[in-house]
Amino acid sequence: ALLHRANLRMLQQRVPESETDLDTCIRLYPNNLLARLRLATVCMAKEDLDGAKKMLEKAEEYDPDSSEVHCYRGELHFAKGDFSEAKSEFEKAMECDTSNPTPYVNAALAVVNTPSAMGAMPDFAEAIRLLEKAIEVDPMFHAAYVQLGQMKLSMATDLSRAKEVVELYDKGLEYCRTPEELRDICSMRILTVAQIDAAHALHMETLNMQ
């Protein structure tokens, strides 16, 4: 009941009250992994990264093979700008649970945010591979379609590549679980089609306006 109420209060933006409920829940049930993860999220939202780190370390003690714990640890490193460490944690999360799509998406974001030597481009091919793997693992994972579509569109070298993004969104539309997800992908699809149509009208071979 405490955990449920804490989640509800988080949704209502009543963070201090949610934190109190989570503290009480952990005091009563020290091995409640979900409560510790939720409290780590609260700490991160408050930019208390040290508090989040301590909570996640304790959570890992109770369940060192938890994919979720490694995901949260990766997100903590990501928030600190430690993208290599973040990717390492996301990879551990994949090893713990190959059916969890979240670490694949998070690892892809870590890849594209990792600074490259001498101004080189990030490893977009690796990021795309990870995002495609996320969809393979869970075809209903909305975030993977969003990130993959945006990335592929930004890299489209010709209109045929851009049309592949429309096909990706069409696939994503088949798996939308909420009206919000449906609106999100519909909006991106409409914008992509409009860009392609405009390029055709201007007799362009790419979406690059330069």
Side-chain angles (χ1 to χ4, degrees):
L2 283 169
L3 185 58
H4 176 75
R5 189 171 69 181
N7 290 336
L8 180 61
R9 285 176 167 174
M10 278 290 288
L11 292 173
Q12 296 170 338
Q13 303 297 314
R14 296 160 64 184
V15 177
E17 294 168 77
S18 176
E19 186 174 6
T20 298
D21 283 340
L22 291 169
D23 280 328
T24 303
C25 184
I26 291 170
R27 188 171 64 252
L28 295 173
Y29 309 100
N31 63 342
N32 190 312
L33 187 67
L34 188 56
R36 290 188 180 277
L37 294 178
R38 289 287 183 274
L39 190 52
T41 301
V42 171
C43 290
M44 291 173 67
K46 294 166 54 182
E47 298 186 356
D48 178 10
L49 301 186
D50 287 337
K53 180 181 178 182
K54 291 176 183 177
M55 193 55 56
L56 292 173
E57 287 174 347
K58 198 67 177 178
E60 188 173 13
E61 288 179 16
Y62 284 106
D63 190 353
D65 297 322
S66 168
S67 179
E68 292 299 323
V69 169
H70 287 296
C71 269
Y72 275 79
R73 286 175 67 90
E75 289 173 15
L76 180 60
H77 283 301
F78 196 102
K80 294 164 64 178
D82 299 331
F83 301 115
S84 294
E85 291 83 352
K87 184 172 182 286
S88 178
E89 287 292 342
F90 295 140
E91 288 171 344
K92 291 177 183 177
M94 297 173 204
E95 293 171 3
C96 291
D97 183 1
T98 57
S99 66
N100 182 359
T102 301
Y104 293 98
V105 172
N106 289 347
L109 296 178
V111 167
V112 298
N113 280 280
T114 300
S116 301
M118 299 178 65
M121 295 289 288
D123 190 351
F124 286 112
E126 172 63 5
I128 287 174
R129 183 192 70 80
L130 288 164
L131 292 168
E132 289 177 340
K133 183 65 178 179
I135 292 174
E136 177 186 328
V137 166
D138 183 359
M140 300 179 71
F141 197 56
H142 175 71
Y145 291 99
V146 172
Q147 296 296 336
L148 183 58
Q150 292 176 342
M151 195 173 299
K152 282 193 167 186
L153 190 63
S154 69
M155 297 176 62
T157 55
D158 54 52
L159 296 184
S160 64
R161 294 288 187 184
K163 290 176 182 176
E164 290 177 6
V165 177
V166 177
E167 294 172 2
L168 174 69
Y169 290 148
D170 286 339
K171 179 181 177 181
L173 287 171
E174 297 177 9
Y175 293 103
C176 289
R177 291 170 290 192
T178 66
E180 290 76 18
E181 290 182 358
L182 185 63
R183 284 196 297 269
D184 202 12
I185 292 188
C186 275
S187 296
M188 291 186 295
R189 186 188 187 282
I190 290 169
L191 289 173
T192 303
V193 170
Q195 286 179 273
I196 294 171
D197 288 346
H200 277 304
L202 294 171
H203 305 291
M204 296 169 57
E205 296 182 356
T206 74
L207 297 182
N208 190 343
M209 301 302 290
Q210 295 180 349

